[in-house]
């Protein structure tokens, strides 16, 4: 696990920042592959999902090891992950970028919600997706998938480094999801990314207001003209930003 716990003030900042802005802040630091590719929210919640990553890794299923009898095993890693994911964490699943079979269904994800998780992400698919979309829990996947996970996947490891949608995810990394997508912030960078992204968001809000008022983006976005920065300073003061 990480030795960089998520500070409440950092969490609060990340709850008000878009994944796109975080991606740019990470890009400035040379990190170009932190966005989880080909996943989307099952339903838009109008609020960000923010929490440390708790991981589950699937491997290709071998038929003799993955009969329905496996679900009777109380030590089955998928079930154990649901029952041990810490409160406030995001369960992130490496499903081999395959939605051929489901990563989980609505009963398990409802249990995860009741245990206080911050959300769930898979680069595969969920079954009972319409029911999951109605839950008060942010959930992200590639597409709905009805076959049981045993069909092609074996849950094999809990809370170790994984890949999810081509993004590296280490336990304790900070997961942020908005109504578009999900990104992974390395835990040791979370505080500085949050601080920088708050500043970026303020300028972006100013810039879009200027554009709506008829301004050109040249010299405004990015701010290459001194007058844009002067106007921004006035705007921040007027809007308490």
């Amino acid at each position: 696990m990480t030795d960089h716990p998520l500070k409440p003030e950092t969490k609060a900042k990340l709850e008000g920042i878009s994944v796109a802005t975080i991606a740019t802040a990470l890009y400035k630091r040379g990190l170009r592959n932190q966005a989880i590719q080909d996943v989307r929210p099952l339903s838009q919640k109008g609020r960000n999902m923010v929490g440390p990553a708790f991981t589950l890794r699937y491997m290709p299923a071998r038929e003799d090891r993955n009969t329905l009898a496996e679900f009777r095993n109380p030590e089955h890693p998928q079930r154990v992950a649901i029952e041990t994911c810490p409160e406030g964490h995001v369960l992130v699943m490496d499903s081999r970028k395959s939605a051929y079979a489901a990563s989980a269904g609505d009963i398990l994800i409802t249990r995860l919600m009741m245990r206080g998780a911050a959300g769930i992400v898979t680069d595969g698919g969920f079954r009972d997706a319409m029911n999951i979309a109605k839950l008060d829990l942010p959930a992200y996947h590639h597409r709905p998938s009805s076959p049981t996970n045993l069909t092609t996947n074996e849950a094999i490891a809990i809370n170790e480094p994984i890949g999810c949608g081509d993004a590296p995810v280490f336990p304790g990394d900070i997961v942020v999801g908005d109504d578009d997508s999900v990104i992974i912030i390395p835990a040791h960078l979370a505080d500085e990314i949050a601080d920088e992204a708050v500043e970026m968001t303020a300028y972006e809000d100013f810039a879009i207001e200027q554009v709506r008022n008829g301004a050109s983006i040249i010299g405004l976005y990015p701010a290459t003209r001194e007058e844009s920065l002067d106007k921004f300073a006035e705007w921040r003061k007027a809007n308490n930003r």
Side-chain angles (χ1 to χ4, degrees):
M1 293 293 290
T2 179
D3 57 358
H4 299 275
L6 178 61
K7 298 175 182 175
E9 57 269 29
T10 298
K11 180 175 185 289
K13 290 171 184 174
L14 293 173
E15 286 172 342
I17 297 165
S18 74
V19 167
T21 298
I22 293 169
T24 300
L26 289 169
Y27 181 85
K28 289 178 181 178
R29 291 160 174 80
L31 297 173
R32 302 184 178 191
N33 296 292
Q34 297 301 117
I36 297 179
Q37 297 297 323
D38 293 323
V39 304
R40 53 197 60 88
L42 275 71
S43 60
Q44 295 188 334
K45 301 300 186 188
R47 69 180 192 274
N48 279 12
M49 171 186 73
V50 181
F54 184 82
T55 66
L56 174 67
R57 180 170 63 86
Y58 286 102
M59 65 176 285
R62 200 178 76 192
E63 289 80 356
D64 63 324
R65 290 176 53 92
N66 287 275
T67 67
L68 279 175
E70 284 304 307
F71 284 154
R72 295 179 176 274
N73 176 9
E75 300 303 315
H76 187 268
Q78 184 205 41
R79 267 52 179 178
V80 173
I82 293 292
E83 292 290 344
T84 58
C85 178
E87 183 176 354
H89 284 54
V90 177
L91 179 57
V92 184
M93 298 179 172
D94 171 2
S95 294
R96 306 187 300 117
K97 297 193 292 183
S98 172
Y100 189 90
S103 303
D106 62 343
I107 295 175
L108 270 63
I109 294 176
T110 298
R111 173 60 177 160
L112 192 69
M113 177 185 72
M114 296 303 294
R115 293 193 60 255
I120 186 168
V121 183
T122 180
D123 57 7
F126 292 129
R127 65 199 314 201
D128 317 305
M130 292 180 68
N131 294 338
I132 296 167
K134 297 172 186 174
L135 295 176
D136 188 27
L137 180 80
Y140 297 78
H141 72 171
H142 178 55
R143 64 166 173 81
S145 179
S146 295
T148 174
N149 71 83
L150 297 169
T151 308
T152 58
N153 283 337
E154 177 176 347
I156 197 67
I158 295 172
N159 221 31
E160 64 175 28
I162 62 169
C164 184
D166 289 328
V169 186
F170 292 84
D173 280 352
I174 306 306
V175 187
V176 182
D178 61 12
D179 283 343
D180 286 341
S181 56
V182 182
I183 198 161
I184 306 297
I185 306 174
H188 69 283
L189 293 176
D191 295 342
E192 64 180 84
I193 291 290
D195 288 343
E196 181 174 320
V198 165
E199 294 297 305
M200 292 170 64
T201 299
Y203 189 82
E204 289 164 359
D205 289 348
F206 159 75
I208 200 163
E209 185 176 301
Q210 297 297 302
V211 170
R212 284 174 175 158
N213 289 332
S216 166
I217 60 168
I218 306 302
L220 172 66
Y221 188 73
T224 56
R225 290 180 182 165
E226 194 65 35
E227 67 177 285
S228 295
L229 294 175
D230 292 341
K231 283 185 179 180
F232 176 51
E234 294 171 7
W235 179 90
R236 288 195 86 161
K237 191 173 182 180
N239 290 275
N240 196 29
R241 294 289 296 273

